[in-house]
Amino acid sequence: MKFAPMAVLFLAVALAALPSPGRAQEMDRIAAVVNDDIISLRDLEGRIKLALAVSNLPDTVENRRRLLPQVMRKLIDEHLQMQEARRVKLQVGAEDINRAIATIEKQNRMPPGGLLAQLARAGVDPSAVRDQVRADIAWLRVIGRLLQPTVRVGEEEITDRLETLRQQIGRPEYLLAEIELPFDTPAQEQEARHLGERLLDQLKSGAPFQALARQFSQSGSASNGGMLGWISEINLDEDWREPVAALQKGQVSPLIRTGSGYTILTLVNQRIAGVSGEPDAMSLYRLVFPTPTGKPPPQEQLIAKARDMTAAAKDCDAMEDIGGELNSPKSQRIDNVRPQALPPEVARAVDGLAIGKASAPVPGPDGISVYMVCSGGGNAGLPSRGQIRQQIEEERTELLARRHIRDLRRAAFVDFRL
């Protein structure tokens, strides 16, 4: 996607300075058509205000000009994601959006309602926030419905990965978060580099990394604030190894040029890999989707509902909120339990499950259960085979998700009206 320089400048000025009623009339203009969906100047204005507020940039014509291409690209992707969700008959309700916003508020230690209130004071329309969250949830559900079931990991692959990790005992492991700014053309490369430089400036000024990742990163980790989980030194991308090795806990990397774009990393934590004994006791949350009375739908339909409703849950509080919405009295937190004490089907569901990630649905006599590890369960040594399987599955799913959105872009009809 490329805008002519004069078109970008005109739009930046129009969005920033048109007086009423001329401005109101201008806002109703069509900025772009994505297949059968329309992006209006009003939509674009709302997202630019959101991007300015999140990145703590002054509202100037120059800043709007620099943000415009990335904001438009993200809006186009979101329309494609929502169209794909509708194609496979996935819906995102108001309660799903409310839960996701509540999770963001908890992660940032904000009071309930604090996020939208803070952005409203900066002039951001709450609908711009809700639309973005809706698209994030929809895309996670598309990935869960279409892509994750196609991923297969063989036992030999797990053994090879474990052997590689065994050779790394005593070496560092990193808990990282990312902001990924990909590009396909030289013009997009310049846009991505300029945006990355601006984001680095804002991070140095104290802007929260996770908030910027949600707004600007184009990786699958964006909806989770860019969090990547623990990565061993040997599994780091070659372009990342030297910058990551130079980081201290809490520091942010320079802008890293990779084969597909630019990346900014932050080191959340660091540890040394080593062998340990029994896994620690853990705290779990069990979310039960009761079987409807009367003539229940097919089990496959109930499992799909459970998977869709929990795909965006990032902690046990979010799972508890879903349990309250379902009015599910059998949903509960299970504290201080060791893996070997769990029933076999539950142990299999949580084996290697990362903290804050929903398990696959587990059918049972009282309904469909989904589990989440709230805390504990850690193993300071080598990961279990289940954890390795999950890691490889997530890597492949992320690769498939990138290819899928790229294919949707290539097949889309996008008509710019600027």
Side-chain angles (χ1 to χ4, degrees):
M1 180 183 67
K2 184 177 180 180
F3 299 99
M6 288 305 297
V8 173
L9 183 59
F10 164 77
L11 183 59
V13 172
L15 290 173
L18 276 177
S20 297
R23 178 178 172 81
Q25 185 176 1
E26 187 70 23
M27 290 299 98
D28 292 330
R29 282 185 54 192
I30 297 175
V33 178
V34 184
N35 293 324
D36 295 327
D37 290 347
I38 290 172
I39 299 175
S40 69
L41 290 190
R42 193 179 306 278
D43 298 329
L44 197 52
E45 161 77 348
R47 287 307 184 83
I48 287 178
K49 281 189 173 182
L50 177 58
L52 289 166
V54 168
S55 55
N56 199 29
L57 287 169
D59 190 351
T60 65
V61 170
E62 176 61 18
N63 283 336
R64 284 172 173 258
R65 184 186 69 80
R66 289 184 178 276
L67 289 175
L68 173 61
Q70 288 286 343
V71 170
M72 177 63 93
R73 188 174 295 115
K74 185 169 178 61
L75 270 171
I76 291 171
D77 280 355
E78 288 176 14
H79 278 273
L80 295 174
Q81 290 165 351
M82 291 301 301
Q83 289 167 9
E84 186 71 345
R86 290 195 295 268
R87 185 184 71 81
V88 296
K89 296 180 172 56
L90 287 172
Q91 296 183 345
V92 179
E95 287 304 314
D96 298 317
I97 298 170
N98 292 340
R99 279 196 303 271
I101 291 175
T103 297
I104 294 172
E105 289 170 339
K106 288 175 183 177
Q107 290 172 343
N108 290 275
R109 299 180 181 179
M110 302 173 74
L115 176 64
L116 294 182
Q118 178 177 314
L119 291 172
R121 288 192 292 271
V124 177
D125 187 341
S127 65
V129 183
R130 297 181 69 85
D131 287 346
Q132 186 178 77
V133 172
R134 178 183 288 107
D136 287 342
I137 297 171
W139 188 237
L140 285 173
R141 292 181 176 179
V142 167
I143 292 170
R145 176 72 65 85
L146 295 183
L147 305 182
Q148 284 179 343
T150 69
V151 175
R152 298 289 183 270
V153 179
E155 294 300 320
E156 185 175 342
E157 296 175 85
I158 298 172
T159 300
D160 291 344
R161 178 70 64 89
L162 275 170
E163 180 58 32
T164 299
L165 293 177
R166 188 171 287 111
Q167 298 172 10
Q168 299 301 305
I169 291 175
R171 301 181 68 174
E173 292 181 315
Y174 305 100
L175 183 60
L176 297 170
E178 67 172 348
I179 296 174
E180 183 177 346
L181 306 172
F183 55 80
D184 298 317
T185 66
Q188 290 178 3
E189 177 177 4
Q190 186 176 16
E191 294 166 5
R193 186 177 69 252
H194 287 160
L195 177 59
E197 291 167 351
R198 288 298 184 96
L199 295 179
L200 281 174
D201 289 341
Q202 296 312 306
L203 289 165
K204 291 174 183 176
S205 300
F209 192 96
Q210 289 192 349
L212 295 184
R214 286 192 182 93
Q215 189 61 37
F216 294 103
S217 180
Q218 296 190 39
S219 168
S221 64
S223 62
N224 195 31
M227 291 297 297
L228 294 172
W230 288 98
I231 303 177
S232 64
E233 185 179 52
I234 197 170
N235 286 332
L236 284 175
D237 290 346
E238 186 174 347
D239 297 319
W240 291 10
R241 289 180 184 174
E242 186 175 341
V244 168
L247 293 177
Q248 299 295 319
K249 181 178 176 180
Q251 289 184 336
V252 175
S253 75
L255 198 59
I256 303 170
R257 176 68 159 81
T258 69
S260 59
Y262 288 98
T263 300
I264 302 171
L265 298 171
T266 185
L267 180 59
V268 180
N269 209 340
Q270 182 176 345
R271 67 188 182 190
I272 301 297
V275 177
S276 68
E278 289 292 324
D280 298 331
M282 62 175 66
S283 173
L284 299 174
Y285 190 85
R286 180 194 183 208
L287 176 60
V288 181
F289 291 78
T291 302
T293 57
K295 186 178 180 181
Q299 188 179 77
E300 293 78 8
Q301 185 175 332
L302 296 174
I303 289 174
K305 176 185 176 182
R307 184 182 293 112
D308 291 345
M309 287 192 68
T310 57
K314 300 301 181 186
D315 58 31
C316 289
D317 288 339
M319 295 282 278
E320 191 168 359
D321 290 342
I322 299 173
E325 179 185 340
L326 293 171
N327 192 24
S328 172
K330 293 186 179 180
S331 298
Q332 61 178 327
R333 192 180 293 259
I334 307 169
D335 292 318
N336 198 30
V337 62
R338 292 188 177 276
Q340 60 267 35
L342 294 170
E345 67 277 8
V346 179
R348 286 193 295 269
V350 302
D351 179 31
L353 194 66
I355 292 174
K357 183 176 178 62
S359 75
V362 180
D366 50 0
I368 307 296
S369 296
V370 178
Y371 295 87
M372 179 177 284
V373 180
C374 308
S375 63
N379 190 324
L382 292 172
S384 67
R385 294 185 69 86
Q387 288 172 317
I388 292 296
R389 181 185 300 278
Q390 179 181 324
Q391 183 183 38
I392 298 174
E393 286 175 349
E394 289 177 349
E395 290 169 0
R396 292 186 180 171
T397 301
E398 168 67 11
L399 181 60
L400 289 174
R402 293 184 187 186
R403 289 176 179 172
H404 197 53
I405 189 64
R406 184 187 62 198
D407 291 343
L408 291 175
R409 290 186 195 121
R410 289 175 174 172
F413 169 76
V414 180
D415 179 19
F416 295 104
R417 302 287 182 88
L418 303 176

